[in-house]
């Protein structure tokens, strides 16, 4: 269900030409699977390969997402608002 929700969000992001970033969190770590991009195909492919289940280091994932968004805003002038959407399978 969570992946289906993300795919719906990807469709909306594509229509608006928004940049998106995919942060995976499971086990004891969080990592950026897709840095800020407009490539919905790349993001969808990475999303489909993500495992579900297990523990979730939520604090680490939120910190990583926030830092990535703020860094993108600092480096690129064409970045508008940074929004974090959190979806979990548990």
């Amino acid at each position: 269900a969570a992946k289906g929700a993300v795919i719906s969000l990807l469709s909306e992001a594509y229509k608006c030409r928004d940049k998106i970033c995919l942060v995976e969190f499971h086990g004891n770590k969080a990592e950026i699977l897709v840095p800020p991009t407009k490539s919905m195909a790349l993001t969808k492919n990475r999303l489909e390969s993500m495992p579900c289940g297990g523990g979730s280091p939520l604090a680490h994932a939120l910190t990583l997402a926030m830092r990535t968004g703020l860094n993108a805003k600092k480096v690129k002038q064409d970045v508008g608002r940074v929004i974090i959407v959190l979806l979990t399978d548990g």
Side-chain angles (χ1 to χ4, degrees), residues 14-62:
Y14 181 77
K15 290 176 191 173
C16 297
R17 303 304 301 153
D18 290 336
K19 286 186 178 181
I20 52 119
C21 173
L22 184 61
V23 177
E24 174 185 43
F25 58 104
H26 65 91
N28 62 358
K29 65 178 181 158
E31 65 180 312
I32 297 171
L33 291 185
V34 180
T37 183
K38 290 186 179 183
S39 175
M40 299 305 136
L42 172 64
T43 306
K44 187 176 177 185
N45 287 340
R46 294 281 170 88
L47 174 68
E48 289 173 350
S49 69
M50 284 176 54
C52 290
S56 299
L58 186 57
H60 186 206
L62 289 172

